[in-house]
Amino acid sequence: MFKKSLVAVMAASAIALTACGGGGQAASSTGGADKKIVMGFAQVGAESGWRSANTKSVQESAKEAGIDLKFSDAQQKQENQIKAIRSYIQQKVDVIAFSPVVESGWDTVLKEAKDAKIPVILTDRAVDSADKSLYKTFLGSDFVLEGKKAGEWLVGESKAATDTVNIVEIQGTTGSAPANDRKEGFEAAIKADPKLKIIASQSGDFTRSGGKQVMEAFLKNNPDIDVVFAHNDDEGLGAIEAIEAAGKVPGKDIKIITIDAVKDGMTALSAGKINYIVECSPLLGTQLMDLAKKVLAGETVPERVVTEETTFTQEQATKALPTRQY
Ligand code: GZL
């Protein structure tokens, strides 16, 4: 009886060890030769169509790459992301990847990962840590360029205007890299035309409800709005609801520029309710898994990997919609 139960206990603990993944330590039944990479991924939340598409891309790519993915949703709270990263460190995963909800406040937990010899990959959003050794690479869009593209389109559209063009800005999550950088790029671009004026700017937290609430307030306090610059499609879609409720025609009475190019945004663009969308691709999963494998194989990876993306007018959106992946 005793002998049997001892064997059972030993077998169980071997399975537990393998399942935990390793940070390189856990043994596998074949001595590590075919040990699956274990990745801990701390996602921002599920705040927008973009985020859902990004989560799908990460999860599907992990499966295709044969990587065991541990996934957490922080409901857009930094403390939840930090908790998740700490739990991945305790579980001794092989690699940690995350999209920092805001730019600041990461040095301590990233140092803990470094001390535990677990490499970290930033995906989608950046951190403002001065110590670049805290992460292996940052894979994501150039948000300043995205804001610049949005501003440049408006400069082109406003050439014939004689009066001031009143712009309201619905910003993304306060303190996030996309919100900071898109604002910077847009403001730099519209400097080219002194007629273009941002008369109000407030965060809609990258959500549709946030965009609607902010736009309702803008409409109440500013009788003469010409343009909305929304930091993502979801805020722009919320703004459309508020504009229509106020009896105005979105895309005509008030022009709308957004960033992302998710299906719902592209549908509104194709219908003429949005006037221009700057693409921000959420399909980062395949590149993320490739980078993780390279990092764990000890290969050098670029400090920065910028994702490819384009822009869409109404006509281009109508053409692109049928084959859009997200
Ligand atoms: C940008 C990403 C932003 C999207 C939003 O890479 O972080 O967060 O633009 C999303 O839709 O919520």
Side-chain angles (χ1 to χ4, degrees), residues 113-319:
K114 186 177 176 187
D115 294 346
K117 298 189 174 25
I118 300 177
V120 173
I121 295 176
L122 297 183
T123 152
D124 169 28
R125 296 184 184 177
V127 297
D128 60 9
S129 304
D131 182 355
K132 300 276 182 234
S133 75
L134 293 176
Y135 54 91
K136 291 294 179 191
T137 181
F138 164 39
L139 160 65
S141 303
D142 178 342
F143 301 130
V144 175
L145 180 59
E146 289 174 349
K148 192 165 164 284
K149 287 177 184 176
E152 285 171 348
W153 178 83
L154 186 57
V155 169
E157 281 297 299
S158 308
K159 280 205 177 350
T162 46
D163 303 337
T164 307
V165 176
N166 293 325
I167 306 160
V168 291
E169 179 186 26
I170 306 177
Q171 290 188 37
T173 300
T174 304
S176 69
N180 294 338
D181 293 355
R182 285 170 182 171
K183 179 174 189 60
E184 181 192 326
F186 183 78
E187 287 179 343
I190 64 169
K191 278 207 174 84
D193 182 346
K195 295 195 303 301
L196 301 178
K197 290 222 181 307
I198 296 176
I199 59 170
S201 185
Q202 196 179 328
S203 172
D205 210 15
F206 282 132
T207 64
R208 208 172 286 209
S209 58
K212 184 178 179 191
Q213 281 155 28
V214 168
M215 194 63 208
E216 283 164 350
F218 284 164
L219 286 162
K220 226 175 259 144
N221 304 324
N222 305 278
D224 184 16
I225 297 172
D226 300 302
V227 179
V228 178
F229 169 47
H231 285 194
N232 79 332
D233 290 357
D234 289 73
E235 291 173 335
L237 293 163
I240 287 170
E241 289 178 42
I243 291 167
E244 288 177 330
K248 292 178 183 254
V249 181
K252 295 215 176 353
D253 298 335
I254 298 179
K255 289 202 180 326
I256 301 179
I257 308 163
T258 68
I259 299 178
D260 276 352
V262 295
K263 197 156 275 180
D264 288 351
M266 294 284 272
T267 304
L269 174 56
S270 174
K273 292 190 175 184
I274 290 178
N275 300 86
Y276 191 66
I277 298 185
V278 175
E279 184 183 44
C280 173
S281 175
L283 305 180
L284 306 176
T286 309
Q287 286 174 289
L288 171 59
M289 300 310 153
D290 290 349
L291 285 165
K293 287 185 175 175
K294 285 193 169 81
V295 164
L296 291 171
E299 292 174 34
T300 333
V301 293
E303 193 185 290
R304 177 78 173 91
V305 180
V306 184
T307 31
E308 313 245 319
E309 44 208 33
T310 183
T311 56
F312 292 96
T313 60
Q314 181 177 7
E315 191 193 341
Q316 289 164 339
T318 307
K319 271 203 207 101

